[in-house]
Amino acid sequence: MLGVPFALGADRHGVDMGPSAIRYGGLSAALDTAGVDYTDVGDLSLPTLQSQPASTDASAKYLDAIAEMTDTLADRVATEIADGSVPLVLGGDHSIAMGTMRGAAQTSELGVIWFDAHGDYNTPTTSPSGNVHGMPLAAAHGYGDFAEMPWATAPNVAEENTVIVGARSLDADERAVLRESDISVFTMEDIDKRGIGPVTDEALDIATDGVDDVHVSLDLDWLDPDDAPGVGTPVPGGVTYREAHTAMERVADRDAAESVLRSLDIVEVNPILDQRNTTGERAAELAASAFGKRIL
């Protein structure tokens, strides 16, 4: 369990307190109940919004600090995996996934499942906001501007093994790129029609096809804002809390059968925007479900 208190990718105060909110939300107790053998190694020491001058690059804000974070986190994740652990990384905004994926994919092929309301496939050229938390999946694939930023890419992560689940808010450029790519995208319409269980099972089939393991990235804005209000970019019409549990339980079931989970990050919990730490508690419980917690 590793905290990454980082907000520069969102350019918004509060999300850097996400690791504390998730821990306070009962993460240790939930993991204990699930019988997980874990160690909380604390938080990384990283640049903060308060320590940075205002970004002068409107196309990709605070990119130098984000590169520093990515390198630091990638090295730590790679070390933990080499020591036989499965990193549970607590964000922080979604730009931290650049570091988690880069570290997890250093030595062998990796699939990715992206549970998110958004595609996170913008680049500095296409981003409407310049906030890098909307770019990490494009960065992992070295797409567009990121082809010239090797620090941002995740080696051994292929489009064919990348799956976005629950998308419901895509920018025009993202939509065009994703349609032409080999990335699989399951929208909320797919979940409504087919159910979260079958969609998650197919996402796992795609992400694990021909690769060694999978990274799971869970953005709390994937949930409907009624269930997870404490996020920076809420989008109505998301999955319910129960559906999110089902998805994480399917991940745990596959891992129990095939040992496929290499790393998990949980991101975008912002206690400043939350209601009595509801979202922090949701994040803690969902993490435990991904590691095998069950009702019975």
Side-chain angles (χ1 to χ4, degrees):
M1 188 194 308
L2 174 65
V4 187
F6 195 74
L8 291 168
D11 193 20
R12 185 165 193 166
H13 290 285
V15 71
D16 51 326
M17 296 187 285
S20 295
I22 298 169
R23 290 186 178 101
Y24 186 73
L27 179 57
S28 291
L31 292 174
D32 287 339
T33 300
V36 178
D37 180 14
Y38 69 93
T39 302
D40 188 345
V41 297
D43 292 347
L44 291 181
S45 179
L46 296 167
T48 65
L49 270 172
Q50 294 88 342
S51 69
Q52 299 296 304
S55 181
T56 57
D57 185 356
S59 65
K61 301 173 188 174
Y62 304 108
L63 201 58
D64 289 344
I66 290 168
E68 178 184 339
M69 175 276 296
T70 300
D71 285 340
T72 301
L73 178 55
D75 288 345
R76 184 60 181 269
V77 166
T79 298
E80 296 296 343
I81 291 172
D83 288 343
S85 297
V86 176
L88 169 57
V89 182
L90 312 177
D93 71 66
H94 217 160
S95 70
I96 73 162
M98 295 160 67
T100 312
M101 289 186 289
R102 182 167 176 79
Q106 282 191 6
T107 59
S108 55
E109 294 179 335
L110 183 72
V112 171
I113 304 181
W114 203 260
F115 293 100
D116 201 323
H118 307 90
D120 291 349
Y121 220 81
N122 274 302
T123 69
T125 297
T126 65
S127 173
S129 67
N131 293 328
V132 178
H133 73 159
M135 309 182 196
L137 204 49
H141 292 145
Y143 174 73
D145 305 278
F146 291 109
E148 304 301 321
M149 303 179 200
W151 60 265
T153 61
N156 304 313
V157 172
E159 290 183 5
E160 293 86 348
N161 296 110
T162 301
V163 191
I164 300 170
V165 178
R168 59 189 186 277
S169 178
L170 300 173
D171 296 319
D173 287 315
E174 283 183 307
R175 190 178 297 111
V177 170
L178 290 169
R179 281 175 175 163
E180 295 299 319
S181 75
D182 290 320
I183 299 166
S184 297
V185 181
F186 295 102
T187 67
M188 282 305 303
E189 182 180 5
D190 295 308
I191 292 172
D192 291 340
K193 288 180 177 178
R194 299 176 52 193
I196 188 62
V199 167
T200 304
D201 287 341
E202 186 173 352
L204 283 160
D205 290 341
I206 295 167
T208 59
D209 185 25
V211 303
D212 301 290
D213 295 303
V214 66
H215 168 71
V216 172
S217 193
L218 174 59
D219 187 324
L220 266 291
D221 72 23
W222 183 50
L223 278 71
D224 191 87
D226 286 344
D227 287 312
V231 297
T233 52
V235 184
V239 298
T240 66
Y241 181 42
R242 183 58 248 166
E243 286 175 318
H245 267 299
T246 297
M248 295 303 103
E249 289 163 358
R250 295 297 178 101
V251 170
D253 288 345
R254 185 68 62 94
D255 187 51
E258 301 176 14
S259 189
V260 297
L261 184 62
R262 188 179 300 177
S263 52
L264 169 69
D265 54 36
I266 299 187
V267 300
E268 296 287 353
V269 175
N270 189 328
I272 290 178
L273 305 173
D274 209 1
Q275 299 171 8
R276 290 179 288 188
N277 204 35
T278 298
T279 308
E281 293 174 359
R282 299 283 191 257
E285 288 294 333
L286 292 170
S289 285
F291 282 99
K293 184 181 178 183
R294 292 293 183 272
I295 295 171
L296 183 63

